[in-house]
Amino acid sequence: MEEEEFEFAEDLEAILHLTPEVQLAIEQVFPSQDPLDRADFNAVEYINTLFPTEQSLANIDDVVNKIRLKIRRLDDNIRTVVRGQTNVGQDGRQVKEITRDIKQLDHAKRHLTTSITTLNHLHMLAGGVDSLEAMTRKRQYGEVANLLQGVVNVLEHFHKYMGIPQIRQLSERVKAAQNELGTQILADFEEAFPSQGSKRPGGPSNVLRDACLVANVLDPRIKQEIIKKFIRQHLSEYLVLFQENQDVAWLDKIDRRYAWIKRQLVDYEEKYGRMFPEEWCMTERIAVEFCHITRVELAKVMRTRAKEIEVKLLLFAIQRTTNFEGLLAKRFTGCTLTDQKRPESPLDPTNPFLEDELGEDNSLKNCFPLFSQPKKPKVPDNPFHGIVSKCFEPHLYVYIESQDKNLGELIDRFVADFRAQGPPKVGTEEGGAVLPSCADLFVYYKKCMVQCSQLSTGEPMIALTTIFQKFLREYAWKILSGNLPKSSSNSGGLTISSLLKEKEGSEAAKFTVDELCLICSILSTAEYCLATTQQLEEKLKEKVDKVLVERINLTGEMDTFSTVISNSIQLLVQDLDAACDPALTAMSKMPWQSVEHVGDQSPYVTSIIMHIKQNVPIIRDNLASTRKYFTQFCIKFTNSFIPKFINHLFRCKPISMVGAEQLLLDTHSLKTVLLDLPSIGSQVLRKAPASYTKIVVKGMTRAEMILKVVMAPHEPPVVFVDNYIKLLADGNPETFQKILDMKGLKRSEQSSMLELFRQRLPTPPSGADGGPSLSFSTPTPEQESSRIRKLEKLIKKRL
């Protein structure tokens, strides 16, 4: 018995196993705190709760009775619910029958309503067709216009009934009436405005005005045919007056064409303005058709008389035509152009190219905005742009050739003016400033671009760009590079005696001050051209068709101006460099072994400083607007001068200890001057760029280290070699050989020193490139400056 109950309990547990979702739903509908209702009910725990101790087992009978009572109540509840569901099916069937009856009544009502509506529509259609046919015969277009639209709307309700003969017959009668109306209206317009002969006298009739309202309801082809015939008849006189063989057909009398259409449009407004519906836009349609005819006729006459087209005549015709297109844009909206190919977008009226030319101040600051002026709010495009003027595009080669000729003459005039006026004078506003011809060139470019972009944004713009490129290069070659002073290879030598007798200002640089100003002026002009050419390229790309943008490329011309800038800087560097050469030569020829005491800086140092003070302020003042290129000049000069100075140091041999101390003092003086080079002779002290200072400190510190090594005793050799490696960090035996020559050692001593040098060189790390340079830590500039100050104090004490 117990086994059967156990099996029953297992089966019941399997049957009553619910999913978590169902269990959660039951708890929400029937919330309960009874442990028997919990999904995780445990019988053992429940019994232990009821009988926690052995003494509580005394009440086991009472507990069992309560549970049995609870079971009976649950059984009664279940039985009641099951019995309550016995009559549900029968009640549902009764309700379903009632619902079906209601649904049938709803369908009947809807069908009855549809039938009544259809009969009403049929009555209206039959009566409307009869009335439509009668009104058509009487030409009562005013009543027909309203009735026809209603009949057509009613007929749309009978599309699904076209299988019924009577309905199909009514539909055919409506179509026949529409066809008859179309034929009849076209005949009425043909009678009123015959294609042949002159127009019938008198204004439009009310019949034709009502006929236009009917045409709005008919097939759109009827409306188009009416418009086409009326416009053709209205412009027939134009085709006769301006035939190709007539004198007024040529470009010099193009104004007469536009004056004629203006009169015709005024005449139309007065006589026929109210005959056509406003939404037909007949005035605009007449003007647009006139433009199409004019474009074709002008193209035809220009092909025939192409050899007679001159640039002034062409520009005159284009100007008058674009003015007329602008007038159309003010008068009409361009709504009739939607069905046609819209012409290309016109030139933006607010484009900075349309601004006034440069002011009187042609400085670099004021010239750069030539192609980069701030834009004003954009004005809507002209939808009529190019509708007539497009015909001139095939003949724009005349304009391009003219610009080629004009620019060639302009460049020749620039060359002649430069030769006549000479280079910019020192002390004037022209000195070092941008050449005026440069601004004139780009102003002319701006004017050409405005004209050409108004005419076409296609291939003519590419042709004009090619012309621009050609004369940008010519300007760079003929005006800029062609006028750079030529450097001479002859440099007068300075002897020791001449250096000793030299007074400040007695030695002139290779280039005169005027020539230095000219070089700076050409450099500034080249920078202006470089920046403005870049802006020119951007504007050309904005104005040309998108498919042609890739063909606009002025990189080569910008590179040409960059080359002019580099050549100008190089000339300035070479000039100052060459001015310092005699002094360096004199330095290398001085008997440094015979120097007995250390004095002030040597005469060659004074000469170098004099040339620096003569040239650098002039160059700085003339490159004030292009500061970055002045910095480049300083860097290039330093990079050229310091290696040359070190090479001449090596030529100073042999050198005594006192001679080395004098050279060290001279080197420090030159280092101080070079550090102050960017602001030398200036009232405004400006800190030199860090990149420049680094170059000077690194180069001149090496020169000082060379002299310190020369001053050091060569005994013992090991200490001397180690000191050389530490100070110079140079593993090149040739450099070490030069140091030994400066010390005046014999060849036998040099051989042993070189062998020791090779032995003492540190072994480079594995995988590193074996090279002459070594990476040793060198004294900082502050340490070297401190040592120099100590040396200066020592020299003063000796003096």
Side-chain angles (χ1 to χ4, degrees):
M1 184 67 180
E2 291 180 355
E3 291 179 356
E4 293 179 355
E5 290 180 353
F6 182 73
E7 292 176 357
F8 174 76
E10 286 184 345
D11 296 340
L12 185 62
E13 183 178 357
I15 294 172
L16 296 180
H17 181 70
L18 304 176
T19 62
E21 292 80 6
V22 175
Q23 187 66 38
L24 180 62
I26 293 175
E27 290 177 357
Q28 291 176 351
V29 177
F30 302 106
S32 174
Q33 300 297 326
D34 193 339
L36 294 173
D37 294 332
R38 296 181 58 182
D40 56 348
F41 174 74
N42 190 310
V44 176
E45 292 181 358
Y46 183 70
I47 292 174
N48 289 334
T49 303
L50 294 177
F51 305 104
T53 61
E54 292 183 2
Q55 290 77 9
S56 60
L57 293 173
N59 300 325
I60 189 171
D61 293 335
D62 296 337
V63 173
V64 171
N65 290 333
K66 289 180 180 179
I67 292 176
R68 287 176 177 172
L69 179 61
K70 189 172 184 179
I71 292 172
R72 283 198 298 270
R73 288 177 179 173
L74 287 174
D75 289 340
D76 291 341
N77 290 337
I78 293 171
R79 191 179 301 111
T80 302
V81 172
V82 171
R83 289 174 179 173
Q85 297 298 320
T86 303
N87 298 327
V88 170
Q90 183 178 357
D91 294 341
R93 285 191 295 272
Q94 292 178 355
V95 173
K96 186 175 181 181
E97 291 175 357
I98 295 172
T99 304
R100 184 175 63 249
D101 295 339
I102 294 174
K103 189 175 181 180
Q104 289 176 350
L105 292 174
D106 287 340
H107 284 305
K109 179 182 178 182
R110 185 165 58 253
H111 292 162
L112 182 59
T113 303
T114 303
S115 299
I116 294 173
T117 303
T118 303
L119 288 174
N120 287 333
H121 285 165
L122 182 59
H123 176 71
M124 293 168 57
L125 180 61
V129 171
D130 292 338
S131 301
L132 181 62
E133 292 173 342
M135 293 176 182
T136 300
R137 288 190 294 270
K138 297 177 182 180
R139 282 183 165 79
Q140 296 176 343
Y141 295 134
E143 292 79 0
V144 168
N146 297 324
L147 179 60
L148 179 59
Q149 185 62 58
V151 170
V152 171
N153 293 338
V154 172
L155 186 60
E156 291 177 356
H157 295 284
F158 291 92
H159 282 324
K160 55 184 176 180
Y161 304 117
M162 287 299 171
I164 302 174
Q166 290 81 359
I167 301 298
R168 186 168 59 251
Q169 183 181 4
L170 288 173
S171 175
E172 291 172 354
R173 289 174 62 188
V174 172
K175 291 180 180 178
Q178 289 177 320
N179 293 334
E180 184 180 353
L181 280 170
T183 305
Q184 191 170 292
I185 290 173
L186 290 176
D188 291 343
F189 270 92
E190 179 65 26
E191 182 181 356
F193 306 103
S195 300
Q196 303 295 331
S198 60
K199 292 183 290 185
R200 194 175 69 174
S205 65
N206 292 333
V207 174
L208 294 181
R209 182 183 60 190
D210 294 338
C212 291
L213 299 177
V214 176
N216 270 336
V217 186
L218 296 175
D219 191 321
R221 288 178 296 180
I222 303 299
K223 170 185 170 183
Q224 296 299 328
E225 187 66 22
I226 294 173
I227 293 174
K228 181 180 178 181
K229 286 186 176 182
F230 179 83
I231 294 177
R232 183 191 304 145
Q233 193 276 340
H234 210 69
L235 297 177
S236 59
E237 180 185 354
Y238 174 69
L239 292 172
V240 175
L241 292 176
F242 294 90
Q243 285 183 3
E244 183 180 352
N245 57 358
Q246 297 296 322
D247 184 56
V248 293
W250 189 228
L251 300 181
D252 59 344
K253 297 180 177 59
I254 198 170
D255 280 337
R256 298 190 182 184
R257 293 177 181 267
Y258 305 130
W260 183 90
I261 189 60
K262 292 175 186 177
R263 292 193 301 269
Q264 291 299 312
L265 292 179
V266 172
D267 180 69
Y268 166 81
E269 291 286 354
E270 293 176 353
K271 294 182 178 180
Y272 309 103
R274 297 182 181 180
M275 186 176 76
F276 295 99
E278 184 177 352
E279 64 270 17
W280 285 21
C281 302
M282 285 299 294
T283 310
E284 180 176 324
R285 290 181 185 276
I286 294 172
V288 169
E289 184 61 22
F290 165 83
C291 291
H292 293 325
I293 295 174
T294 302
R295 184 177 69 245
V296 173
E297 293 298 318
L298 285 175
K300 188 188 306 181
V301 72
M302 284 191 292
R303 279 196 304 270
T304 305
R305 304 171 64 177
K307 294 182 179 180
E308 301 178 36
I309 300 177
E310 298 178 353
V311 65
K312 291 184 179 179
L313 179 62
L314 180 66
L315 292 180
F316 167 79
I318 292 173
Q319 181 185 11
R320 293 296 191 270
T321 302
T322 52
N323 290 344
F324 175 70
E325 291 171 348
L327 184 64
L328 292 180
K330 294 179 181 179
R331 175 63 178 83
F332 306 116
T333 62
C335 61
T336 62
L337 299 174
T338 54
D339 297 333
Q340 307 169 29
K341 182 179 179 181
R342 292 286 292 271
E344 290 82 354
S345 297
L347 175 73
D348 181 4
T350 62
N351 190 286
F353 289 93
L354 298 179
E355 299 295 331
D356 292 336
E357 295 185 357
L358 290 173
E360 296 179 357
D361 187 0
N362 283 332
S363 66
L364 198 63
K365 179 179 179 181
N366 291 328
C367 284
F368 270 11
L370 180 62
F371 296 116
S372 60
Q373 297 167 358
K375 293 185 177 181
K376 300 176 182 178
K378 187 174 181 180
V379 176
D381 292 342
N382 176 4
F384 296 94
H385 178 79
I387 192 170
V388 178
S389 57
K390 196 73 176 174
C391 67
F392 298 110
E393 185 167 328
H395 303 277
L396 287 180
Y397 68 88
V398 176
Y399 172 80
I400 301 299
E401 292 173 355
S402 171
Q403 297 310 319
D404 189 359
K405 179 182 177 182
N406 292 343
L407 283 169
E409 294 175 352
L410 187 64
I411 295 295
D412 292 340
R413 179 168 64 82
F414 290 160
V415 173
D417 290 347
F418 190 92
R419 292 174 180 173
Q421 298 172 5
K425 303 300 180 183
V426 182
T428 65
E429 294 183 357
E430 297 178 358
V434 175
L435 297 177
S437 60
C438 177
D440 294 341
L441 177 67
F442 282 103
V443 167
Y444 191 84
Y445 274 12
K446 178 179 175 182
K447 177 183 176 182
C448 294
M449 186 175 303
V450 171
Q451 286 183 335
C452 190
S453 56
Q454 286 177 334
L455 308 178
S456 171
T457 56
E459 288 295 335
M461 284 291 288
I462 301 298
L464 184 66
T465 301
T466 303
I467 299 298
F468 285 174
Q469 292 174 297
K470 171 184 174 182
F471 288 102
L472 284 174
R473 293 191 296 268
E474 285 202 14
Y475 186 86
W477 296 333
K478 294 183 178 180
I479 307 298
L480 302 182
S481 295
N483 288 305
L484 282 173
K486 301 298 185 292
S487 59
S488 174
S489 58
N490 299 325
S491 57
L494 285 180
T495 62
I496 299 299
S497 59
S498 66
L499 280 173
L500 293 175
K501 296 178 181 179
E502 180 179 46
K503 296 181 180 180
E504 187 150 350
S506 63
E507 179 84 18
K510 288 172 58 180
F511 287 145
T512 65
V513 178
D514 286 343
E515 288 175 331
L516 290 177
C517 290
L518 173 61
I519 296 173
C520 294
S521 182
I522 290 175
L523 191 155
S524 300
T525 303
E527 185 197 15
Y528 170 84
C529 291
L530 175 62
T532 313
T533 300
Q534 183 177 0
Q535 297 167 7
L536 174 65
E537 180 184 72
E538 294 172 359
K539 294 303 177 183
L540 284 168
K541 289 182 177 181
E542 287 180 11
K543 298 309 161 193
V544 79
D545 292 341
K546 292 183 179 179
V547 295
L548 301 176
V549 167
E550 296 300 325
R551 294 173 61 184
I552 303 291
N553 187 353
L554 304 184
T555 304
E557 289 64 42
M558 288 186 273
D559 292 342
T560 300
F561 291 117
S562 297
T563 302
V564 174
I565 293 173
S566 299
N567 292 342
S568 301
I569 294 175
Q570 191 61 34
L571 272 180
L572 295 174
V573 171
Q574 289 176 357
D575 176 65
L576 184 55
D577 220 12
C580 297
D581 280 347
L584 294 177
T585 302
M587 176 191 77
S588 62
K589 292 181 178 181
M590 287 182 65
W592 293 105
Q593 191 177 19
S594 305
V595 177
E596 297 178 354
H597 61 272
V598 178
D600 289 336
Q601 63 188 26
S602 302
Y604 76 88
V605 176
T606 303
S607 176
I608 292 173
I609 295 175
M610 178 195 70
H611 289 301
I612 290 176
K613 288 184 176 180
Q614 282 180 347
N615 283 29
V616 173
I618 296 173
I619 296 171
R620 182 185 57 245
D621 294 343
N622 283 279
L623 295 181
S625 60
T626 56
R627 186 75 186 176
K628 64 178 180 180
Y629 292 118
F630 174 69
T631 302
Q632 285 188 23
F633 159 76
C634 294
I635 292 175
K636 286 189 176 183
F637 171 73
T638 304
N639 283 330
S640 173
F641 175 79
I642 293 178
K644 186 181 293 186
F645 173 73
I646 292 176
N647 288 335
H648 280 79
L649 270 184
F650 286 134
R651 297 178 187 176
C652 299
K653 55 185 179 182
I655 303 177
S656 65
M657 177 65 70
V658 178
E661 290 178 354
Q662 180 65 52
L663 278 172
L664 188 60
L665 178 62
D666 294 342
T667 301
H668 179 69
S669 299
L670 288 175
K671 180 180 179 181
T672 302
V673 171
L674 290 177
L675 287 173
D676 295 338
L677 182 69
S679 59
I680 194 169
S682 174
Q683 296 180 355
V684 179
L685 296 180
R686 181 181 297 179
K687 186 177 180 181
S691 58
Y692 170 78
T693 303
K694 183 178 179 181
I695 293 172
V696 174
V697 170
K698 181 179 179 181
M700 295 306 290
T701 299
R702 175 175 172 79
E704 292 171 347
M705 293 301 103
I706 290 172
L707 292 172
K708 287 186 178 182
V709 172
V710 172
M711 293 169 59
H714 61 277
E715 295 290 346
V718 174
V719 175
F720 176 77
V721 171
D722 290 346
N723 190 42
Y724 168 84
I725 295 175
K726 178 181 179 181
L727 291 178
L728 286 184
D730 190 343
N732 191 339
E734 294 181 0
T735 305
F736 186 68
Q737 176 76 55
K738 293 177 181 179
I739 296 292
L740 299 179
D741 290 339
M742 294 175 70
K743 291 182 68 66
L745 296 181
K746 298 178 180 179
R747 288 297 176 185
S748 58
E749 293 177 316
Q750 291 185 13
S751 299
S752 59
M753 282 284 191
L754 284 170
E755 185 62 29
L756 181 62
F757 172 75
R758 294 187 180 95
Q759 294 175 1
R760 302 293 294 179
L761 280 177
T763 304
S766 59
D769 296 334
S773 62
L774 301 173
S775 57
F776 295 104
S777 60
T778 58
T780 63
E782 291 77 9
Q783 293 172 337
E784 292 306 319
S785 178
S786 176
R787 293 177 183 177
I788 295 297
R789 285 196 295 271
K790 290 180 181 178
L791 179 61
E792 289 176 343
K793 291 179 181 178
L794 177 63
I795 293 171
K796 290 180 180 178
K797 288 180 181 179
R798 290 186 178 182
L799 293 174

